[in-house]
Amino acid sequence: MTTPFPFTAVVGQDDLRLALLLNAVSPAVGGVLVRGEKGTAKSTAVRALSALLPEVAVVPGCRFSCDPAAPDPACPDGPHERGPGVERPARMVELPVGASEDRLVGALDIERALAEGVKAFEPGLLADAHRGILYVDEVNLLHDHLVDLLLDAAAMGSSYVEREGVSVRHAARFLLVGTMNPEEGELRPQLLDRFGLTVEVTASREPDQRVEVVRRRLAYDDDPDGFAARWAAEEAAVRQRIAAARELLPQVRLGDGALRQIAATCAAFEVDGMRADIVMARTATALAAWAGRTDVLAEDVRQAALLALPHRRRRNPFDAPGLDEDKLDETLERSAGQDGDGDGDDDPGPGGPGGGGRPEPEDGPQGGGDTAARPEDGEGGQPQPSGAPEQSPVRAAEPFRAKALSVPGIGEGAAGRRSRARTEHGRTTGARRPRGTLTKLHLAATVRAAAPHQRARGRSGPGLVIRRDDLRQAVREGREGNLVLFVVDASGSMAARQRMSAVKGAVLSLLLDAYQRRDKVGLVTFRGAGAEVALPPTSSVDAAAARLESLPTGGRTPLAAGLLKAHEVLRVERLRDPARRALLVVVTDGRATGGPEPVALAGRAARLFAAESVASVVVDCESGPVRLGLAGRLAGELGGTAVTLDELRADSIAGLVRDVRETSRRAA
């Protein structure tokens, strides 16, 4: 087995190391979510932690790691008698992003369960991780239903597997650690809340520290065992400190003053629910134990807030996580002054390594700034002529709840919430023979397949005689996520500031909708002499929002170039992910200028999408008393439908999804 990189040899990343150690001291804290850019030692630190955890005593031969001093009475391998066990190192189990539900929670032998009534259970990763660490790299890319199962098990300390009336339960208490790169998409706020602590990690900008990182990494790669031996003393000291803090933890007193500070802090930052208060209390207690104290001080409460609250402050995916530390200090001082308990009288300086937290963005409306028409926009706020000089970016108007758009037909893409698809979860619509491992049994179809053969198979008892050929897989219909590719006209004809602000607000609203429906998004813009891919297809809608916010306008309208660039993006994406269907959203007034026969060329480019049956919607941005209807004509060439900016609102276009489907059906 490869020697892990020593935990104490990780350079910097004080907040990350502290959060991991606090969970090692008190797993009740609820785990850690590590957010950061690639190459910042996230995975290295997590893997190194397992070597510091004390060994665990287990019942010999138990696949579920039961504690011999208090064996689980419901253990599938039990019952176990109390007695001496065997000690082994704490495990660190990695959950792959592409894991199946059966791999995570375990699987029942359906054939034996039906034929013999035997609960033959094969444990999954949750059982392997019991009393150890469960590590999920790129947790934001994990399918939603797996994340739900994972976090439910972490919250309840047990896992349930139920199949056709046969159920198995086993203990599953583990330290949950997830890492993610925010550029690849965010977790839903509900799931963020289920992680006890969160840490933002970035690469150091100090040359000396970067040199030390490289020096240590090269030394480790050259001789892992020798490098680990040089850090053995530091590793042993931290291991002993963890054990001592665990012993001290039950004696730590959380006084009324500290509790009042915790409650006041959570109220001041308007976090939802009570989980933040509980996590802060457990974290502050663990911090005191880690420091070797039996009283929780204000510095513990402050550090707990910096670790437990930033990810609970987000209201939408475009909010940057972080905490206003000045506001935090004022809240702690004010709440300490309202209570006579001495627990809150200490100076609330940073406790433990780091200090964490990032300043909160300045308050103010998302789309702040004057969006009224300006003289340079043209008389009366009208757009400048095509070919006008480039204008500075304008802010997006306030987003709104957009009406759902969907791709017609039934797909088989990644689980999501937009279009109909055959998925592992959803309502049962039929049955088929399993392709590979059986995952969802269709009981009625299985019984029907086996019933005609019972006499020939010599059935004599009450149970059915089941053969593998009799088993039927349930076919289920749910929802999938799509690739929503935005093609945004940023030319001079769109450049009136009020108008472009409204356009950006509409696209921002659709991006929020894509985030909620677990889509991938891409952004193509066109203006001036051509088109560019402002954002390749990604799961990070906040990256798309950032590119949209900085989008300049001006110049001619190369509509054909924008459509051809979008066609190329979809072609490449189909090679990468053929199961994910696309929805093309073209945001334009329909004008085409520049080059020979720009309108005819745009029409030919649009018909490429119609020939490939790509679902499309044209958001008509034309304004003014005289309308040319060019966007509607473009929608016809695409084989899609056209809607105005006002019709994008959820309350305004009740029939939009039906129109998209009917138009696509006619085009097919």
Side-chain angles (χ1 to χ4, degrees):
M1 187 175 66
T2 305
T3 303
F5 192 91
F7 186 84
T8 51
V10 174
V11 179
Q13 308 298 8
D14 293 336
D15 284 354
L16 169 58
R17 291 189 291 155
L18 177 62
L20 292 171
L21 290 169
L22 292 177
N23 275 271
V25 171
S26 176
V29 166
V32 186
L33 176 64
V34 187
R35 298 164 44 91
E37 58 197 24
K38 51 188 175 294
T40 49
K42 301 188 298 292
S43 300
T44 299
V46 174
R47 293 188 175 98
L49 178 67
S50 61
L52 298 179
L53 297 181
E55 291 189 338
V56 295
V58 298
V59 174
C62 178
R63 297 174 298 166
F64 301 87
S65 303
C66 279
D67 185 349
D72 181 7
C75 176
D77 284 355
H80 303 300
E81 296 292 335
R82 292 176 181 266
V86 295
E87 292 197 347
R88 62 161 176 78
R91 291 174 181 160
M92 194 199 75
V93 177
E94 292 195 44
L95 173 61
V97 169
S100 65
E101 180 180 339
D102 286 347
R103 185 72 187 97
L104 176 63
V105 301
L108 292 170
D109 189 330
I110 300 297
E111 186 174 355
R112 291 190 63 191
L114 288 175
E116 305 172 28
V118 176
K119 294 182 181 179
F121 181 71
E122 184 66 29
L125 295 177
L126 291 180
D128 293 341
H130 180 45
R131 304 176 67 196
I133 301 174
L134 183 61
Y135 171 48
V136 189
D137 194 13
E138 306 295 351
V139 65
N140 51 325
L141 303 182
L142 201 63
H143 286 173
D144 284 355
H145 72 281
L146 292 182
V147 176
D148 292 338
L149 291 170
L150 180 65
L151 296 181
D152 284 344
M156 296 187 297
S158 60
S159 175
Y160 291 88
V161 182
E162 297 192 9
R163 295 284 172 81
E164 308 299 341
V166 181
S167 62
V168 172
R169 174 207 163 275
H170 64 83
R173 291 183 293 276
F174 46 80
L175 167 56
L176 176 63
V177 182
T179 58
M180 60 175 285
N181 184 348
E183 293 179 357
E184 297 174 338
E186 290 284 355
L187 282 173
R188 302 196 311 264
Q190 311 93 292
L191 303 183
L192 280 171
D193 187 51
R194 299 296 289 271
F195 282 94
L197 309 179
T198 188
V199 178
E200 293 279 338
V201 295
T202 57
S204 173
R205 299 298 184 258
E206 292 293 330
D208 290 343
Q209 194 171 72
R210 296 176 74 97
V211 167
E212 186 62 23
V213 169
V214 175
R215 181 181 291 119
R216 293 186 187 182
R217 185 71 213 189
L218 293 178
Y220 170 78
D221 291 341
D222 289 341
D223 183 11
D225 293 333
F227 184 81
R230 291 196 291 274
W231 289 88
E234 288 84 349
E235 293 283 285
V238 174
R239 192 178 297 110
Q240 292 172 2
R241 187 175 177 185
I242 291 173
R246 283 187 172 186
E247 291 183 6
L248 183 63
L249 186 65
Q251 305 172 36
V252 175
R253 186 178 72 91
L254 184 65
D256 289 343
L259 277 173
R260 184 175 295 279
Q261 286 184 316
I262 290 171
T265 301
C266 292
F269 285 99
E270 300 179 350
V271 296
D272 296 330
M274 295 298 298
R275 185 174 282 117
D277 302 64
I278 296 170
V279 170
M280 273 191 64
R282 290 172 173 165
T283 305
T285 303
L287 279 163
W290 178 247
R293 291 185 269 100
T294 56
D295 287 311
V296 174
L297 305 180
E299 65 191 54
D300 301 322
V301 176
R302 185 183 192 277
Q303 184 65 57
L306 293 172
L307 294 172
L309 296 188
H311 60 302
R312 295 183 167 91
R313 286 273 294 147
R314 303 186 74 206
R315 290 295 183 267
N316 66 62
F318 308 141
D319 290 341
L323 221 58
D324 184 337
E325 295 194 38
D326 291 337
K327 180 178 179 180
L328 173 61
D329 291 337
E330 292 174 5
T331 302
L332 292 173
E333 291 175 2
R334 186 168 55 251
S335 57
Q338 294 175 354
D339 193 278
D341 195 328
D343 294 338
D345 292 338
D346 296 76
D347 180 32
R358 293 178 180 273
E360 187 181 18
E362 294 183 6
D363 294 334
Q366 177 75 16
D370 183 12
T371 59
R374 301 185 182 185
E376 63 265 29
D377 296 332
E379 185 177 353
Q382 293 300 313
Q384 294 179 333
S386 296
E390 180 180 295
Q391 296 185 18
S392 60
V394 298
R395 290 186 177 274
E398 192 69 23
F400 51 82
R401 188 168 67 89
K403 187 66 178 180
L405 307 174
S406 66
V407 177
I410 301 179
E412 294 184 349
R417 298 180 177 181
R418 181 170 297 277
S419 305
R420 296 173 58 197
R422 296 184 181 91
T423 62
E424 288 294 319
H425 298 269
R427 62 186 182 91
T428 301
T429 59
R432 59 171 172 80
R433 292 181 182 273
R435 302 166 187 165
T437 304
L438 177 71
T439 55
K440 299 290 182 182
L441 178 74
H442 194 297
L443 181 58
T446 299
V447 171
R448 284 197 300 269
H453 307 291
Q454 295 306 295
R455 181 175 297 178
R457 294 173 182 174
R459 172 186 169 188
S460 59
L464 286 174
V465 181
I466 300 291
R467 300 286 186 264
R468 186 157 297 278
D469 288 344
D470 301 328
L471 300 179
R472 295 294 182 269
Q473 174 86 24
V475 176
R476 300 191 174 190
E477 183 178 308
R479 293 279 170 178
E480 67 176 0
N482 298 118
L483 167 60
V484 182
L485 182 61
F486 294 92
V487 182
V488 179
D489 185 348
S491 64
S493 66
M494 300 278 288
R497 300 187 73 84
Q498 281 184 319
R499 185 178 176 191
M500 199 61 198
S501 176
V503 168
K504 286 187 175 182
V507 178
L508 192 66
S509 303
L510 292 170
L511 284 172
L512 280 167
D513 182 68
Y515 164 77
Q516 294 164 353
R517 298 182 188 279
R518 315 305 288 171
D519 293 316
K520 290 180 72 174
V521 296
L523 179 62
V524 172
T525 64
F526 59 94
R527 64 186 179 88
E532 65 174 347
V533 181
L535 184 71
T538 175
S539 297
S540 178
V541 296
D542 51 343
R547 304 291 172 87
L548 179 72
E549 191 70 21
S550 61
L551 178 66
T553 57
R556 295 186 178 276
T557 311
L559 177 57
L563 294 175
L564 291 174
K565 181 68 71 174
H567 187 267
E568 176 64 15
V569 169
L570 293 184
R571 185 190 67 81
V572 173
E573 193 65 19
R574 274 196 294 270
L575 296 175
R576 293 175 178 169
D577 189 358
R580 188 181 291 270
R581 298 186 295 162
L583 175 64
L584 183 73
V585 179
V586 184
V587 184
T588 181
D589 57 9
R591 298 184 184 183
T593 59
E597 300 184 346
V599 176
L601 186 59
R604 287 197 295 272
R607 288 192 288 275
L608 293 175
F609 295 94
E612 296 173 0
S613 300
V614 176
S616 59
V617 175
V618 177
V619 180
D620 185 358
C621 302
E622 191 174 23
S623 61
V626 178
R627 295 174 181 265
L628 302 178
L630 298 176
R633 193 178 309 167
L634 174 63
E637 299 278 10
L638 286 166
T641 188
V643 295
T644 65
L645 289 173
D646 290 338
E647 290 172 338
L648 269 181
R649 296 181 179 272
D651 298 335
S652 303
I653 48 172
L656 178 57
V657 175
R658 182 180 64 253
D659 293 342
V660 172
R661 290 174 177 166
E662 289 178 354
T663 304
S664 300
R665 214 165 16 241
R666 287 196 300 270

